C-alpha cells in the first residue's frame, strides 16, 4: 500500500509539473506575441517619446477622432474596474476573434480583430494567458463614441483559425504572421469604408499624422519599381526590425519596428517568403 501511495504521489507530482510547464510555455508564447508581432503596446500603452510611459504599460493609450468613431485604446490590464480583470477567458477570446465586447457592442474598427480570426487556438490561449500576468493598472479611459455601425473587416484567406500543421509551409506561415501583425491594416488603402483587398493589397498610401510629422505607409507589394520587389531579403528584414529603409533613411512611426525587433529569424524568413508572393501594385 505504501509503495502504491508513493507511486500515485509521484505520478500526481509529475502531472502537476507537466501542467505548470505547459502553462509557462503558453505564457512565454503570449509574451512573444503581445510584446512582439501583435504590437499591442503600440496602441494600448500611453506614449511618451519614444516609448511607453513606464509603469503604465497596456493601461490605455492612443486616441482617434475619425468619421466612424471617437475612441481611446482600452486598458487591457487585469484591473477589475477599469481594465479587463472582470472578463472571463471566453469573453477575451470572443473580443479577439469577433470584435464583440461582453456588452454585445462591436469594438471600434481601429482594433484589428478582423486580422485575428486566423489565430490558432494555441496562440489565442497564449495571448489570454499572458494578459492575465500583466500588472493591474487603474486607468479609466473615455467611453467610446461610435458615429456609425462598426464593421468586421476580415482579410481574405484569414476567415478561419489556422491549424498548427499549416505552419510547416513557409509561405502559409508568413501569411499567418503578416495577418496577425495586421500589416495590411495600414498598408492596404480603403475606399468608402471598404478595404481594397482585391486591387490594392499592400499598395500603401495611408497617412498617419503624429509627433513624428506625417508618415505614409509604404508599398510592400512585389513591385520592383514602387514596392519591395527589388529589395534583398536582408533589406526587407532590416526595415521590419530596425525601421531602416533600403536607402538608409529611417522609417517613421506608427510602424512598430521596435516590436518586430523581437521576431525570430525563422519567423522573419517566413514573413519575407510571403511578402514575395504579394502581387505587384504600382
Amino acid at each position: 500500500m505504501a509503495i502504491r501511495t508513493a507511486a500515485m504521489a509521484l505520478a500526481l507530482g509529475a502531472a502537476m509539473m507537466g501542467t505548470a510547464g505547459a502553462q509557462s510555455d503558453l505564457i512565454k508564447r503570449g509574451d512573444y506575441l503581445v510584446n512582439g508581432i501583435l504590437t499591442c503596446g503600440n496602441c494600448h500603452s500611453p506614449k511618451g517619446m519614444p516609448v511607453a510611459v513606464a509603469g503604465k504599460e497596456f493601461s490605455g493609450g492612443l486616441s482617434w477622432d475619425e468619421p466612424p468613431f471617437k475612441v481611446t485604446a482600452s486598458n487591457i490590464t487585469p484591473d477589475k474596474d477599469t481594465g479587463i480583470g472582470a472578463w472571463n477567458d471566453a469573453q477575451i477570446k470572443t473580443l479577439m476573434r469577433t470584435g464583440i465586447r461582453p456588452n454585445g457592442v462591436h469594438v471600434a474598427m481601429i482594433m484589428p480583430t478582423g486580422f485575428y480570426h486566423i489565430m490558432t487556438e494555441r496562440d489565442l490561449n497564449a495571448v489570454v494567458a499572458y494578459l492575465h500576468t500583466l500588472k493591474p493598472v487603474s486607468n479609466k479611459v473615455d467611453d467610446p463614441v461610435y458615429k456609425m455601425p462598426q464593421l468586421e473587416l476580415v482579410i481574405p484567406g484569414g476567415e478561419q483559425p489556422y491549424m498548427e500543421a499549416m505552419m510547416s509551409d513557409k509561405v502559409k506561415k508568413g501569411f499567418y504572421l503578416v495577418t496577425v501583425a495586421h500589416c495590411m491594416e495600414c498598408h492596404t488603402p480603403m475606399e468608402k469604408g471598404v478595404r481594397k483587398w482585391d486591387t490594392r493589397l499592400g499598395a500603401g498610401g495611408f497617412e498617419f499624422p503624429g509627433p513624428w510629422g506625417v508618415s505614409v505607409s509604404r508599398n510592400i507589394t512585389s513591385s520592383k519599381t514602387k514596392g519591395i520587389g527589388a529589395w534583398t531579403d536582408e533589406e526587407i528584414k532590416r526595415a521590419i526590425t530596425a525601421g531602416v529603409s533600403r536607402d538608409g533613411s529611417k522609417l517613421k512611426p506608427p510602424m512598430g519596428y521596435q516590436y518586430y525587433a523581437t521576431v525570430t529569424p525563422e519567423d522573419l524568413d517566413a514573413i519575407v517568403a510571403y511578402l514575395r508572393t504579394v502581387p505587384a501594385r504600382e
Side-chain angles (χ1 to χ4, degrees), residues 68-105:
F69 46 70
K70 182 179 181 181
V71 295
T72 297
S74 302
N75 182 337
I76 58 172
T77 75
D79 184 73
K80 290 188 175 181
D81 296 320
T82 65
I84 59 173
W87 296 29
N88 61 39
D89 289 3
Q91 289 171 329
I92 299 173
K93 292 177 183 179
T94 296
L95 184 282
M96 291 283 291
R97 275 267 171 79
T98 70
I100 303 299
R101 298 171 64 90
N103 62 4
V105 176

Side-chain angles (χ1 to χ4, degrees), residues 157-174:
E159 299 89 352
Q160 299 296 326
Y162 255 35
M163 300 294 105
E164 293 292 338
M166 299 169 74
M167 297 298 190
S168 61
D169 183 301
K170 183 181 284 190
V171 172
K172 287 182 179 179
K173 181 179 182 180

Side-chain angles (χ1 to χ4, degrees), residues 76-214:
I76 58 172
T77 75
D79 184 73
K80 290 188 175 181
D81 296 320
T82 65
I84 59 173
W87 296 29
N88 61 39
D89 289 3
Q91 289 171 329
I92 299 173
K93 292 177 183 179
T94 296
L95 184 282
M96 291 283 291
R97 275 267 171 79
T98 70
I100 303 299
R101 298 171 64 90
N103 62 4
V105 176
H106 196 289
V107 73
M109 290 184 288
I110 196 71
M111 173 65 179
T113 56
F115 296 87
Y116 299 149
H117 290 231
I118 197 174
M119 194 173 286
T120 66
E121 288 296 327
R122 175 174 175 264
D123 279 353
L124 192 60
N125 289 334
V127 168
V128 173
Y130 177 73
L131 290 178
H132 286 313
T133 71
L134 296 178
K135 180 187 73 173
V137 178
S138 179
N139 181 42
K140 177 72 169 66
V141 303
D142 292 338
D143 291 333
V145 176
Y146 301 124
K147 305 174 186 178
M148 59 179 284
Q150 301 301 296
L151 305 175
E152 187 75 357
L153 304 174
V154 183
I155 189 168
E159 299 89 352
Q160 299 296 326
Y162 255 35
M163 300 294 105
E164 293 292 338
M166 299 169 74
M167 297 298 190
S168 61
D169 183 301
K170 183 181 284 190
V171 172
K172 287 182 179 179
K173 181 179 182 180
F175 174 70
Y176 175 84
L177 294 168
V178 167
T179 299
V180 298
H182 48 93
C183 302
M184 297 304 178
E185 181 184 30
C186 293
H187 289 277
T188 300
M190 294 182 73
E191 185 176 305
K192 297 180 179 179
V194 177
R195 193 78 64 178
K196 307 299 287 184
W197 303 122
D198 294 339
T199 59
R200 303 293 290 162
L201 179 72
F206 270 119
E207 293 187 353
F208 297 92
W212 51 81
V214 177

Side-chain angles (χ1 to χ4, degrees), residues 29-88:
R29 176 66 178 172
D31 186 352
Y32 174 72
L33 293 167
V34 170
N35 291 304
I37 201 160
L38 296 183
T39 67
C40 300
N42 214 19
C43 291
H44 287 280
S45 292
K47 298 295 183 187
M49 287 298 289
V51 294
V53 177
K56 300 292 186 180
E57 292 86 353
F58 302 109
S59 66
L62 300 182
S63 297
W64 299 266
D65 189 352
E66 307 287 347
F69 46 70
K70 182 179 181 181
V71 295
T72 297
S74 302
N75 182 337
I76 58 172
T77 75
D79 184 73
K80 290 188 175 181
D81 296 320
T82 65
I84 59 173
W87 296 29
N88 61 39

